[in-house]
């Protein structure tokens, strides 16, 4: 019986599941290891190099001076803490906005308006980042919409939190929406049946069951805020975040920039470990 | 002027200290009539109807469920029985009519303000809480102190024989165990009425039969009014003190299992509860001598050879066996009557009786008193 080469190959792969798996995964694994983890490794390595003060040339001399100055220099510490505070603030604001929004969309709104709201939440994702940041610049500026409505916080940390919260809100709303939509009606009915008023049901049933989604959304809002450096340039006034420090160091002192960028990486790893401890990641 | 009212308290823990009914003196301006309704019905539905858009789910239901009664609402799916349960629990509001619990009008009361608890068809256990936390949920909501909460939860879990599993999550339990947790979670609140929405539907047959007996026993011991929704007529007949048979949003008949089975009021009840052979029109006139709708239960029918004697108080209907269905403990004979129509007769599988073959002529005989006259629909 004649069999085409493709069929023979398929047959051979069918008999060797290990080979099949490696053929399937080799391309993405190569990408992950070489491009992603590799570049992170190079970044970490370059943080141990140094820069010639006069020529700004990278010198491949191993030392830990960069990390020492990141830790000891009060400027770096202030910027790091401010960045952390902004990331936490954005996460809290987004959680506060997204919980009622997602709940309304998933469980209260009629199917027609639900679709409309989903589009409304996701539509800003299609617009350019800079367009949205500058839109907030316009709204926050003196004589802008907020000023006209009663007062603008001006350009600074509050403006950065507001703008970043707006930018990352969909990443919080969507996982929460999915979680609320998957919540069985009978659980809410059962809670009411057992004597719980709506607020109690929200605290004791809805919120705990939405926690994995809340944490998933917070990973987005937290890490995206930590790494941001454009919004703060547009609406931050003179405020600096870690991203700005890194961006300005990249051209003049690459090893120093690499050392500074280890700070948000460590913060995010720390946050992920904290989230993992809650056990929420297993339920994702 | 004072009137003396005897109140019957159905809760076992309260009976420990007080023996017999409690006598309370009430001023007459309260009106004896109101007080009487208090003691009469645990659940009372007065002209209750419910429409979902154009669909009429429940249509003019009047019902009184007595305190301490095991009451079943039996009907096919879509007959409105579950909707009635949800109206009693307060998950839905009736389109018209009133719902009373122990004489108190709760029609507009939210579920969390009603003294009823529900065992849901899908159990609706909270997946993020342990078995114990699930059972304690209602008590925690009502701010029962921790020690008492613990103790009552332990007792409820013991009642459903789940003591060892208190720290498990629902996901780690079997279907039967989840069903028991749902029951304990409702019972622990000592509601005046427990609503059960097809609670045994998801269990396999053996477990279901076991749980039927157990539920009945728990109900007898806890002395709580059970309102039990089912589409399974065996279940309703086995467990209930009284049954309401639902069809198309209306109640066809309310009665004890024996009444519903032996004296079905309508052709629907006759056909839905148990198997019934229906005789109507010309066939009824030919066999019984009267027209109108009649029913005969298969197990009442004797299967005779054409030349066998028929007792004087018996009705005889000759026919031909169309099919024989062997079903273990019994054998079903499908017989085409000469008068028209097909009857089912049942015979216990015993050796000594003579064998009939498919296609052979037979006479079906039953006592006149076993002919059930049905109301017209």
């Amino acid at each position: 019986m004649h069999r085409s080469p493709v069929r023979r190959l398929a047959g051979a792969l069918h008999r060797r599941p290990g080979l099949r798996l490696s053929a399937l995964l080799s391309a993405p694994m190569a990408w992950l290891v070489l491009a992603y983890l590799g570049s992170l490794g190079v970044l970490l390595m370059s943080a141990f190099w140094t820069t010639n003060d006069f020529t700004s040339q990278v010198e491949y001399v191993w030392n830990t001076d960069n990390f020492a100055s990141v830790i000891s220099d009060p400027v770096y510490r202030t910027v790091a803490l401010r960045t952390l505070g902004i990331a936490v603030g954005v996460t809290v604001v987004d959680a506060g906005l997204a919980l009622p929004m997602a709940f309304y969309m998933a469980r209260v709104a009629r199917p027609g308006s639900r679709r409309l709201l989903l589009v409304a939440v996701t539509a800003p994702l299609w617009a350019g980042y800079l367009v949205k940041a500058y839109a907030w610049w316009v709204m926050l500026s003196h004589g802008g919409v907020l000023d006209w409505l009663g007062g603008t916080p001006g350009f600074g940390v509050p403006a950065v939190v507001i703008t970043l919260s707006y930018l990352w809100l969909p990443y919080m709303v969507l996982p929460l929406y999915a979680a609320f939509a998957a919540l069985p009606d009978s659980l809410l009915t059962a809670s009411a049946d057992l004597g719980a008023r709506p607020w109690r049901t929200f605290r004791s049933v809805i919120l705990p069951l939405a926690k994995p989604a809340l944490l998933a959304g917070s990973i987005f809002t937290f890490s995206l805020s930590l790494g941001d450096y454009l919004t703060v340039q547009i609406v931050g006034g003179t405020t600096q975040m870690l991203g700005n420090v890194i961006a300005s160091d990249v051209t003049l002192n690459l090893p120093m920039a690499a050392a500074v960028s280890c700070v948000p990486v460590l913060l995010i790893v720390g946050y992920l470990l904290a989230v993992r401890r809650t056990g929420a990641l297993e339920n994702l | 002027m004072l009137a003396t009212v005897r109140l019957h308290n159905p809760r076992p823990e309260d009976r420990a200290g007080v023996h017999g009914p409690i006598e309370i003196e009430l001023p007459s301006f309260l009106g004896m009539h109101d007080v009487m309704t208090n003691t009469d019905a645990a659940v009372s539905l007065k002209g209750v109807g419910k429409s979902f858009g154009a669909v009429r789910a429940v249509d003019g239901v009047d019902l009184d469920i007595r305190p301490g009664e095991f009451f079943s609402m039996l009907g096919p799916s879509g007959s409105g029985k579950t909707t009635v349960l949800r109206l009693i629990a307060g998950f839905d509001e009736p389109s018209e009519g009133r719902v009373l619990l122990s004489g108190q009008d709760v029609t507009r009361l939210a579920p969390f303000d009603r003294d009823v608890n529900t065992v849901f068809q899908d159990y609706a256990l909270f997946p993020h809480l342990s078995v114990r936390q699930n059972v304690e949920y209602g008590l925690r909501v009502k701010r029962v102190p921790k020690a008492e909460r613990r103790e009552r939860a332990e007792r409820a879990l013991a009642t459903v024989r789940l003591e060892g599993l208190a720290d498990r999550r629902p996901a780690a339990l079997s279907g039967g165990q989840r069903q028991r947790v749902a029951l304990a979670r409702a019972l622990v609140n000592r509601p005046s009425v427990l609503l059960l929405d097809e609670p045994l539907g998801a269990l396999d047959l053996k477990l279901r039969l076991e749980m039927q007996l157990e539920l009945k026993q728990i109900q007898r011991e806890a002395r709580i009014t059970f309102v039990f929704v089912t589409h399974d007529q065996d279940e309703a007949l086995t467990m209930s003190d009284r049954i309401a048979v639902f069809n198309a949003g209306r109640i066809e008949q309310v009665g004890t299992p024996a009444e519903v089975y032996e004296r079905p009021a309508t052709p629907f009840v006759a056909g839905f509860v148990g198997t019934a052979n229906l005789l109507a029109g010309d066939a009824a006139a030919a066999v019984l001598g009267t027209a109108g709708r009649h029913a005969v239960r298969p197990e009442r029918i004797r299967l005779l050879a054409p030349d066998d004697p028929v007792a004087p108080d018996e009705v005889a209907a000759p026919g031909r066996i169309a099919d024989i269905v062997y079903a273990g403990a019994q054998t079903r004979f499908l017989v085409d009557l000469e008068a028209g129509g097909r009857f089912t007769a049942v015979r216990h599988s015993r050796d000594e009786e003579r064998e009939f073959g498919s296609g052979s002529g037979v006479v079906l005989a039953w006592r006149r008193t076993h002919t059930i006259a049905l109301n017209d629909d």
Side-chain angles (χ1 to χ4, degrees), chain A residues 186-187 191-193 195 197 204, chain B residues 113 117-118 122 125 128 137 141:
Chain A
S186 63
L187 291 185
S191 180
D193 182 71
R197 285 160 197 287
S204 298
Chain B
D113 288 325
N117 284 115
T118 309
D122 65 348
L125 300 177
H128 60 296
Y137 188 87
V141 165

Side-chain angles (χ1 to χ4, degrees), chain B residues 34 179 211 281 316 350:
Chain B
D34 291 349
Q179 207 280 323
M211 279 308 291
R350 279 175 297 202

Side-chain angles (χ1 to χ4, degrees), chain A residues 184 186-198 200-201 203-206 208-209, chain B residues 89 91 111-113 116-118 120 122 124-128 137-138 140-142 185 189:
Chain A
S186 63
L187 291 185
L188 309 186
T189 317
S191 180
D193 182 71
L194 292 164
R197 285 160 197 287
R200 174 77 200 216
T201 300
R203 275 190 302 134
S204 298
V205 179
I206 297 171
L209 289 174
Chain B
F91 306 144
F112 44 79
D113 288 325
V116 298
N117 284 115
T118 309
F120 293 88
D122 65 348
L125 300 177
F126 303 123
H128 60 296
Y137 188 87
R140 194 184 280 270
V141 165
K142 281 169 209 115
R185 184 177 68 175
N189 303 293

Side-chain angles (χ1 to χ4, degrees), chain A residues 136-138 140-142 152-160 234-239:
Chain A
W136 274 100
W137 180 81
V138 171
L140 288 158
S141 59
H142 287 284
T152 166
F155 298 125
V157 172
V160 173
I234 295 165
V235 300
T238 58
T239 312

Side-chain angles (χ1 to χ4, degrees), chain B residues 321-335 342 344-347 349 356 358:
Chain B
I321 294 179
D323 205 354
I324 301 174
V325 183
Y326 175 75
Q330 50 180 228
T331 307
R332 281 196 294 277
F333 294 84
L334 305 184
V335 177
R342 175 171 285 190
T344 303
V346 173
R347 230 171 54 166
S349 309
F356 291 102
S358 194

Side-chain angles (χ1 to χ4, degrees), chain A residues 6 8 17 24 53 65 82 89 114 125 162 170 206 227 238 266:
Chain A
V6 176
R8 273 207 304 273
L24 186 70
D53 287 343
D65 293 355
R82 181 190 298 138
R114 176 178 306 156
L125 290 176
I162 291 172
I206 297 171
T238 58
L266 284 177

Side-chain angles (χ1 to χ4, degrees), chain B residues 145-157:
Chain B
K146 192 176 178 184
E148 189 192 338
R149 208 162 69 207
R150 266 292 139 92
E151 204 238 308
R152 278 169 68 174
E154 288 298 331
R155 253 195 297 158
L157 284 173

